[in-house]
Amino acid sequence: MSIDAVHFLQELVSISSISGEEEEAATYLVAVMESLGMEARVDEVGNAVGVREGPDGEGWIEQETVLLGHVDTVPGEIPVRIEDGRLYGRGSVDAKGPLATFVMAAARAELAPGRRLVVVGAVEEEAATSKGARHVADVYRPDACIIGEPSGWDGITLGYKGRLLLDYVYRQPMSHSAGPQEEVAEAAVAWWNEIAAYAEAYNRGRARLFDQLFAGLRHIQTESDGLTNSVTARVGLRLPPGFDAAAFAQRAKEMAGPARVRDYGHEPAFRASRQTDLVRAFNVALRQSDRRPRFKLKTGTSDMNIVGPRWGCPIVAYGPGDSRLDHTPQEQIAIDEYLQAISILTAVLSVL
């Protein structure tokens, strides 16, 4: 059955799938993959999984490639529409555009006997849980993996920084605002300032962004019931390769004094090799389209951080879209770029 690639992406983007609420989108993905001739299902944790094998394989698989995208999005409703050759909508870039590219390319690629493609629309990538990727990390042992994230149709992402989250909670008895006691908000801000100063000192002499420690104050809120004042704060850190997250978490707890600090969501940075057949296949496909490949290292995280160290296979991230539009009110993808990415990835999968 023939599926119009643009209509497919528009329908997928039109289905709300905030992290934890992906069931409808996963069911739609399974239906589309089945119509394209794949063996498809929703797995035990809610991932949409489609499998296609080369002809006459008789169950013998010599080479398996996992195309790991994600079906969930961050919150925020953007009216889905096509204007001036661009498709607007939450998830169009991050990362339903890359996921739709995976589905279409996997269905079109020419597969030799013994080849297997596994397309995964994972759940909860946008949450610290990454439930979908953690599940498939235990299920598969592929020979190659492509992560579905926006790199631009002529870009190849080789690495992502790591992540650490810190939650700060401090409570103290109510006191008069004219008194000498430090306010809970002041204590939280002082703790944050120490973290920011640590990051600034760490980054001295490190010119490349991928090697720097990024710290951001994501949330701070005070409350009072008339007897107790309290403050909660959250700090998110993007970690460079080799960063000792456990030691830093302990230091952050010591900086907090009597306040409580919880650390979680840790993923170490990961960088893949350029010297693989997978990268070479992308090189060839892009050069045949008169483009010199652009290699990228991203300052965010992705499911590559989870499966890359576990699988130890050749791995890259690829997909259409401008990652600067991730999570923004202006999220949109150029239709021509999406179609071009399908063509590139089809060529890669056909020769890998």
Side-chain angles (χ1 to χ4, degrees):
M1 178 179 176
S2 177
I3 297 288
D4 180 78
V6 177
H7 177 73
F8 165 44
L9 177 57
Q10 186 172 13
E11 288 293 302
L12 184 59
V13 173
S14 297
I15 301 172
S16 176
S17 55
I18 298 168
S19 292
E21 302 174 12
E22 304 97 336
E23 183 177 358
E24 183 181 355
T27 300
Y28 173 71
L29 267 173
V30 166
V32 170
M33 289 191 286
E34 285 180 336
S35 72
L36 290 169
M38 299 184 198
E39 182 179 328
R41 65 188 178 95
V42 175
D43 72 11
E44 297 83 349
V45 299
N47 297 325
V49 181
V51 179
R52 182 178 169 223
E53 296 182 1
D56 304 321
E58 298 181 354
W60 169 72
I61 300 299
E62 182 180 23
Q63 202 262 10
E64 180 178 77
T65 300
V66 170
L67 299 106
L68 176 57
H70 67 91
V71 69
D72 65 317
T73 72
V74 297
E77 185 176 343
I78 300 172
V80 179
R81 64 198 188 278
I82 295 177
E83 291 181 4
D84 300 325
R86 306 185 74 84
L87 191 154
Y88 292 75
R90 175 61 77 222
S92 57
V93 174
D94 189 14
K96 293 181 178 180
L99 179 56
T101 299
F102 282 5
V103 172
M104 299 307 299
R108 296 177 182 180
E110 297 180 9
L111 300 185
R115 289 282 313 286
R116 176 190 284 153
L117 300 179
V118 181
V119 179
V120 180
V123 297
E124 296 187 19
E125 192 274 347
E126 296 290 1
T129 53
S130 297
K131 181 169 72 172
R134 295 186 195 283
H135 176 74
V136 299
D138 292 331
V139 173
Y140 300 100
R141 285 295 180 270
D143 301 285
C145 175
I146 304 172
I147 301 293
E149 292 287 345
S151 60
W153 75 269
D154 58 351
I156 305 167
T157 302
L158 293 175
Y160 288 86
K161 294 182 77 165
R163 179 190 63 206
L164 180 67
L165 300 173
L166 302 172
D167 280 356
Y168 174 100
V169 178
Y170 182 43
R171 296 181 176 87
Q172 68 180 19
M174 182 85 172
S175 64
H176 197 285
S177 60
Q181 181 170 287
E182 181 182 52
E183 297 287 350
V184 291
E186 294 172 332
V189 169
W191 174 74
W192 155 246
N193 285 339
E194 283 196 65
I195 290 176
Y198 180 94
E200 182 180 3
Y202 181 92
N203 293 335
R204 291 191 190 113
R206 292 178 168 90
R208 194 171 60 167
L209 294 180
F210 195 70
D211 296 325
Q212 295 180 6
L213 174 64
F214 291 178
L217 180 60
R218 299 187 180 181
H219 163 89
I220 184 166
Q221 180 176 338
T222 59
E223 293 183 356
S224 178
D225 61 7
L227 298 174
T228 301
N229 290 337
S230 63
V231 60
T232 59
R234 175 169 298 163
V235 167
L237 298 115
R238 298 296 186 178
L239 312 179
F243 187 80
D244 191 337
F248 180 80
Q250 181 59 38
R251 180 165 185 162
K253 292 173 183 178
E254 294 169 357
M255 292 175 182
R260 291 185 293 109
V261 173
R262 179 173 75 100
D263 63 284
Y264 62 103
H266 174 230
E267 300 294 345
F270 182 85
R271 182 173 181 175
S273 171
R274 282 179 59 166
Q275 307 305 316
T276 65
D277 288 341
L278 177 60
V279 173
R280 282 188 280 273
F282 272 102
N283 272 330
V284 170
L286 288 167
R287 291 183 184 278
Q288 287 176 345
S289 295
D290 297 323
R291 283 298 181 103
R292 182 171 180 168
R294 296 182 297 128
F295 292 97
K296 301 181 176 183
L297 297 171
K298 295 291 188 71
T299 56
T301 56
S302 78
D303 283 338
M304 183 187 287
N305 297 76
I306 295 170
V307 301
R310 292 283 297 278
W311 289 344
C313 65
I315 187 170
V316 301
Y318 179 76
D322 183 348
S323 61
R324 292 173 296 183
L325 297 173
D326 291 4
H327 303 184
T328 70
Q330 295 80 36
E331 190 169 2
Q332 59 188 271
I333 191 168
I335 292 173
D336 285 348
E337 180 180 352
Y338 164 58
L339 297 175
Q340 186 67 53
I342 294 173
S343 176
I344 295 296
L345 186 57
T346 300
V348 169
L349 297 177
S350 297
V351 302
L352 185 62

